Amino acid sequence: KAGVTQTPRYLIKTRGQQVTLSCSPISGHRSVSWYQQTPGQGLQFLFEYFSETQRNKGNFPGRFSGRQFSNSRSEMNVSTLELGDSALYLCASSLERLAGAPNEQFFGPGTRLTVL
Amino acid sequence: GENVEQHPSTLSVQEGDSAVIKCTYSDSASNYFPWYKQELGKRPQLIIDIRSNVGEKKDQRIAVTLNKTAKHFSLHITETQPEDSAVYFCAASRGGYQKVTFGIGTKLQVIP
C-alpha cells in the first residue's frame, strides 16, 4: 500500500505571496491532519479533516486554511506569507476503525517551505 | 486545550544503557498516547502507543507506562543502540477527533 505523499517537497516563496500544499493520504484513510514543524516549536497542529469536513483547528491565524476532497486528498493554503511561516509542513493520515477512537497517524515526507 | 510537556529536551546515553523520556498532559479526557520517532531528515513514525485503559505496554526494547491519576506517561528504551539516536515525540489525543497534541521532542543521542 502506498504511503502518504506530499507535493511539492520544497518551496521557496517571498513575503506576501500565497502557497498551496497538497497531501494524498493512504488509500482508505479518511482523516487527514496537518502540522507545522519548526526547530523551536516542535510539531504544532494546524487542522484535521474527515470526510471533507474540518473537525478540528489549531491556534493558527486565518491565513492558514485547508480543504479536503471527496477522494480524501487534502490541500492547505497559506496566504500573505510571513518570514515566520518558514517551516516543514507535514500531513498525516489515519484510519478511524471506530468512531471517536484515535489511531496511529502515518506521516508524509513533508513540504519544506522557505519564505524570503 | 490540551498541553503536553516533555523532558528532557536532550538526552545522551552510552550504548547499552537505558533511556527514559517523560511527558505530562493536562486534559484528563485524553485517552490515546502515541510515541513517534523522527530520524534526521525523515518523517515521524509511530514506535509504540498506549490507551488509557492500559497501564503499561512493551514491545521488545521499548516500553511505555501511563499513570492516569498523575497524568503522565513515559517511554523506556533498554539496551540502547546507535540506531536509536533520533528525536522522540510524545503526544496525547482524546476520542472523537484526531486532534493530537505533541510534546516539544527529545533529542536522544546514543554514544557508541
Side-chain angles (χ1 to χ4, degrees):
Chain A
K1 199 178 255 189
V4 179
T5 59
Q6 291 185 247
T7 57
R9 294 293 311 279
Y10 302 91
L11 265 179
I12 299 175
K13 293 285 188 178
T14 56
R15 280 180 300 173
Q17 288 187 309
Q18 75 166 19
V19 66
T20 299
L21 313 181
S22 181
C23 172
S24 293
I26 291 172
S27 176
H29 288 193
R30 291 192 291 167
S31 172
V32 175
S33 299
W34 288 89
Y35 297 89
Q36 181 193 66
Q37 186 173 29
T38 56
Q41 299 295 319
L43 281 155
Q44 290 192 293
F45 174 80
L46 281 155
F47 28 66
E48 186 249 352
Y49 287 87
F50 182 84
S51 292
E52 301 180 67
T53 300
Q54 186 183 89
R55 292 198 299 190
N56 273 293
K57 192 176 190 305
N59 298 322
F60 279 81
R63 300 185 296 107
F64 292 81
S65 63
R67 58 178 176 168
Q68 186 179 35
F69 302 95
S70 58
N71 61 357
S72 294
R73 189 177 70 84
S74 178
E75 289 181 346
M76 68 163 279
N77 183 276
V78 188
S79 62
T80 321
L81 285 166
E82 300 177 0
L83 295 179
D85 296 334
S86 295
L88 179 68
Y89 290 88
L90 292 160
C91 80
S93 74
S94 64
L95 177 66
E96 241 178 58
R97 296 186 184 90
L98 295 172
N103 277 306
E104 174 182 2
Q105 292 190 311
F106 294 83
F107 283 86
T111 294
R112 173 76 60 186
L113 172 64
T114 302
V115 182
L116 303 175
Chain B
E2 175 68 279
N3 182 49
V4 177
E5 295 189 357
Q6 179 175 352
H7 58 94
S9 57
T10 60
L11 180 60
S12 291
V13 299
Q14 293 288 332
E15 182 178 357
D17 286 350
S18 295
V20 180
I21 302 170
K22 299 182 179 182
C23 290
T24 59
Y25 61 99
S26 60
D27 187 352
S28 56
S30 289
N31 59 3
Y32 177 64
F33 307 91
W35 286 86
Y36 287 85
K37 174 184 180 182
Q38 187 176 28
E39 297 177 34
L40 190 63
K42 296 190 176 181
R43 68 190 78 184
Q45 289 194 301
L46 183 79
I47 54 172
I48 195 166
D49 56 11
I50 191 168
R51 299 187 187 271
S52 59
N53 58 347
V54 176
E56 184 174 357
K57 185 176 179 181
K58 191 173 182 180
D59 183 4
Q60 299 183 338
R61 297 185 297 107
I62 295 172
V64 58
T65 58
L66 171 65
N67 183 327
K68 285 190 296 182
T69 303
K71 289 191 280 188
H72 68 69
F73 56 114
S74 301
L75 177 72
H76 305 253
I77 306 174
T78 59
E79 300 172 20
T80 53
Q81 301 167 3
E83 52 265 37
D84 294 329
S85 296
V87 178
Y88 291 81
F89 293 95
C90 64
S93 68
R94 56 188 294 182
Y97 308 100
Q98 283 281 7
K99 182 175 183 179
V100 184
T101 302
F102 282 82
I104 199 70
T106 296
K107 185 175 182 179
L108 173 65
Q109 181 185 23
V110 179
I111 304 165

